[in-house]
Amino acid sequence: MSKAKTQQPAVIHKVIMVGSGGVGKSALTLQFMYEEFVEDYEPTKADSYRKKVVLDGEEVQIDILDTAGQEDYAAIRDNYFRSGEGFLCVFSITEQESFQATSEFREQILRVKNDDNIPFLLVGNKADLEEKRQVTAEEAQHRAQQWNVPYVETSAKTNANVDKVFYDLMREIRSRKMDASKQNNGKKIKKKDSKRKKCTIL
Amino acid sequence: MADKRLIADLSVKGFDPNLYVSRAAEGGEDALLDLKQRIHILGDKTAQELKKNVYKNYSQFIDTAREISIVEGEMYQLSHMLTEQKGLMASMMEMSLVSDKAVVEEPQKEAEPEINPKEETRRNLAFLLEKVEGCSSVTEVPGRQLIHNGDLTELDIESLTPTQKVHAFLLTDSLMIASWLPNRRGPVRYRFQGLYELDNLAVVNVRDAGPVKNAFKILMFPASKIYQTDSAKSKRQWLDILEETKKKKASRDKQKKEVVQRLAEQQSVASLSRVEEASKTSFVDEEDKTTLVEFETDTLLQEDWLQELPENLDMCIAQRDFEGAVDLVEKVNEYLKESSKSPSLKEFRARIDHRVKQLTEGLMSELQVSPERSLRGGPRAARRAVAQLIRLGKSAQACDLFLKNRSAIIKYNIRQLKFEGATTLYIRCMCAVFFNSLLETSKEFLKAFPNHYGCYSAFIVWCKQELELFVKTFNRHVFDGKTSSTTVAECVSISRKHCQELCQSGLDIAYLFDGLISSDLENTIIEKREQLKDIVKYRSADDLWRPMNHMSQKDCQKYLDEMASARMDLKDYVYQECFISLTMNTAQFAKSCFQYTEDLLLVYSQEHEALITDSLVQVISEQLQHIEASLKSDKFKEDHNFILKNALFIVEVLMGRLERLYRDFQVTFPPELNAIRENYKHLKAVAKSVKT
């Protein structure tokens, strides 16, 4: 791999961070990217990162879209979701509202992607602040089971489980891609199926 | 060693061969012979060395030439790059002036509300028209202004390698991307690429993408793009201005909504009071009326499905669900037909119109003929796009494209045919392809454009053009001067038959076809006539008036068979097994005359009737003249009976055959030909007069 810089690994997994404002999406992203914890809070608009990682011996790229927790426009939010292949749905275990909001995010993602099995992880962040916990592991676990997705508790501050959530999600994306390529073996993706059913919200 | 000395001796300055030889001769014969041999060897060696040197020089020369050509190429590249750079510099200078202006203008606008927004728009956007090709629709929306613009490099979303240079124009409500046209002189430097509404445009700051710096993403369904600016500062500027513009637009929209809501409340109160007032006075304030209209249309636009319509249309277009898209367009047109014009409606209209344009482009490209597209889909494939275009009221374009598409198919199909061997075979295939395509097109056309009578004339014009093209090819193959009249006749009759078939389905192009080949056909008839007359003259010159002798019964039978294949029965003229009591000249003439008549009848048409008859009369008369001349000649005094027998054969048997041929073709036997029969009497009289 001593070739030119532009020689990127072919596979790119597109991960999207969703969740309410202030739950630590950017903190998780920055911890994963640079292994540093940023204490100051500054609302994100929409940032994108790309990094080369080795996933089970294979060199791939991860493309992270760190979205704004407070995005007012549904159309724009839909555009974010459309570009993703897997989602880390983050809430803060110290804030019940952020946990409630995950349902809404999940619903929107499923609506946009029209795929119940989209790679998706429910992430309870700020696990280091056990004393301020408002969301129990059980109820989060329960919701994850309902959605048939994994639930992981992380701490961007202590770097607990941070790499795990990203790598787990990438593995799911990868296996989904392999299934898809097996299924339509050279054929085009059936576009008709992905036709989006519109439902009006609010 | 000896060789070296020899070389040294021979290459001494002022070498005197005579002296050298005489000195060498002193050594006696053996030494001399030895020297001779050595000199020979040296000579050979030198020649070889010389050859090697020449070759070496030559290869060096080639290498040098190659090097020079490489250098030349590099120089050329360099000069090309320089001119490119120069162009870039020039455009950058122009751009920076303008963008400075735009940026400077911005705060001013904020400070004081625009006095004349329309004027401002015009001025601002007129500049777009000058710079960008194909963006006229963008400038038509009232109130739209240029906020910011700048050069960007578009990157590949996966590999992040640069793909093209673009120029982005941020307008009050949308972002326009125009691709940079390299090697373009004059003011138009960009081509319109897309207009994206800020409402559903997501901007993503690319904070870290490995080696690629200063990039940001624009997510606009269904495409997402990634652009790179030239500096961190300009990226920051872009992001901030985008954000700000979006916010402004959002607040504007919000304000509008609030106004509408407030109006709605007022209106409901007002309407109540007005009912009471109405009894007193019917006077309604003019201003009130306009607000009422505005309110109505704005509430009209509040419909959910209407709000989502632009997005849904985008989706349909992206999924190539053209029917669905047209359905939506029709629905909205129907819905908005009644409503009056208000600014907000106009704006909405502009949004829809923009998409209709996209949709039309999509449909048009569906019908466009391009080399990489397969044409095998046939007319049914085009029908779908045509139908939708008609529904959008673009029947003229649809018709034009449909016919162009058909033209390409015909051209392609004809090109697929291989020209090998017989012209007739090729023409047969070509006719089949061409006329079937015409038939198919006409059927398809009637199906695709029912009740669009305006398009029918276009179809007729198209048919004529296609036919002209066809005849051009036809002529090239058929009337090339080398083709025999039989082939010509067959080809013409094949084509005519096809024309008639087409005529039965309501498209009469037979007269066109006849008109187009008329002159060539006449030329061929005349040419052949002259040829036949020449042959008659040539054969007559050495006609000895002897019966044919085929030497054996077998050969005679063979000849009879040959003539029979040309439908000439000569059995009655055989005597003594191998003799035929006709001259070779007569028999051959009868055969070619019969063939000629058959060819002529195959291409028979009323307008050529006179020519055909005249040609036949001329040819036969030529032969009869020869007979008359022979009768008058002293040379054949003894052969009068035999000559007259030949004459009788021509006048009776051949003419009889020709008459039957005419009957077979259902053409009346012309009296001019019938009159030829009278010639026998005249010939007999001539014979008598010569004898006496």
Side-chain angles (χ1 to χ4, degrees), chain B residues 536 539 585-593 619-620 623 650 654:
Chain B
V536 168
R539 281 216 213 95
N585 185 351
T586 306
Q588 290 302 88
F589 172 74
K591 191 177 157 191
S592 47
C593 187
V619 169
I620 298 169
Q623 181 75 5
I650 290 173
L654 177 63

Side-chain angles (χ1 to χ4, degrees), chain B residues 472-520:
Chain B
K472 227 176 180 177
T473 326
F474 182 87
N475 283 352
R476 210 170 47 234
H477 286 293
V478 175
F479 298 113
D480 66 343
K482 279 174 254 163
T483 335
S484 75
S485 63
T486 314
T487 316
V488 171
E490 276 172 21
C491 293
V492 170
S493 80
I494 291 167
S495 309
R496 279 222 187 114
K497 223 175 271 163
H498 277 291
C499 284
Q500 268 144 25
E501 274 168 30
L502 214 56
C503 203
Q504 278 161 12
S505 66
L507 183 66
D508 186 3
I509 52 167
Y511 72 96
L512 268 175
F513 178 75
D514 278 340
L516 285 168
I517 61 160
S518 181
S519 66
D520 279 312

Side-chain angles (χ1 to χ4, degrees), chain A residues 5-6 8-12 14 30 33-34 42-51 61 63-66 71 73 75-83 85 191-192 194-196 198-202, chain B residues 156-162 198-212 217 219-222 224 226 236 240 243 246-247 249-251 253 304 308 311-312 315-316 318-321:
Chain A
K5 275 181 188 170
T6 47
Q8 310 273 3
V11 186
I12 303 176
K14 292 177 190 141
L30 293 172
M33 286 293 295
Y34 309 116
E42 188 197 337
T44 308
K45 281 165 194 143
D47 292 340
S48 146
Y49 301 86
R50 197 177 272 207
K51 189 184 187 181
Q61 286 198 87
D63 190 294
I64 305 171
L65 175 61
D66 184 11
E71 176 60 63
Y73 279 100
I76 290 174
R77 204 177 39 214
D78 286 357
N79 272 339
Y80 291 144
F81 293 168
R82 278 192 192 104
S83 70
E85 295 167 336
K191 275 187 181 153
K192 286 272 146 59
S194 64
K195 186 162 180 169
R196 189 157 64 93
K198 288 286 290 189
C199 62
T200 40
I201 43 161
L202 300 174
Chain B
D156 184 272
I157 196 102
E158 299 283 325
S159 65
L160 300 181
T161 48
L198 287 181
D199 284 355
N200 27 13
L201 183 112
V203 185
V204 176
N205 179 8
V206 178
R207 292 222 175 216
D208 185 351
V212 180
K217 265 190 219 173
L219 307 179
M220 38 209 176
F221 184 68
S224 32
I226 180 157
R236 196 65 259 162
D240 290 347
E243 177 76 25
K246 275 170 80 170
K247 262 190 197 146
K249 180 165 169 25
S251 69
D253 288 350
D304 272 353
E308 282 168 4
E311 209 189 331
N312 281 336
M315 202 154 61
C316 284
Q319 288 177 340
R320 307 178 66 75
D321 175 15

Side-chain angles (χ1 to χ4, degrees), chain B residues 108-121:
Chain B
Q108 278 178 354
K109 266 188 238 148
E110 273 191 293
E112 45 181 320
E114 307 105 34
I115 301 150
N116 194 347
K118 256 200 181 149
E119 184 89 349
E120 195 84 15
T121 313

Side-chain angles (χ1 to χ4, degrees), chain B residues 567-582:
Chain B
R567 278 173 281 175
M568 283 284 148
D569 186 11
L570 302 181
K571 257 184 213 145
D572 297 343
Y573 293 85
V574 179
Y575 66 96
Q576 289 175 13
E577 288 190 343
C578 61
F579 284 95
I580 296 172
S581 63
L582 288 173

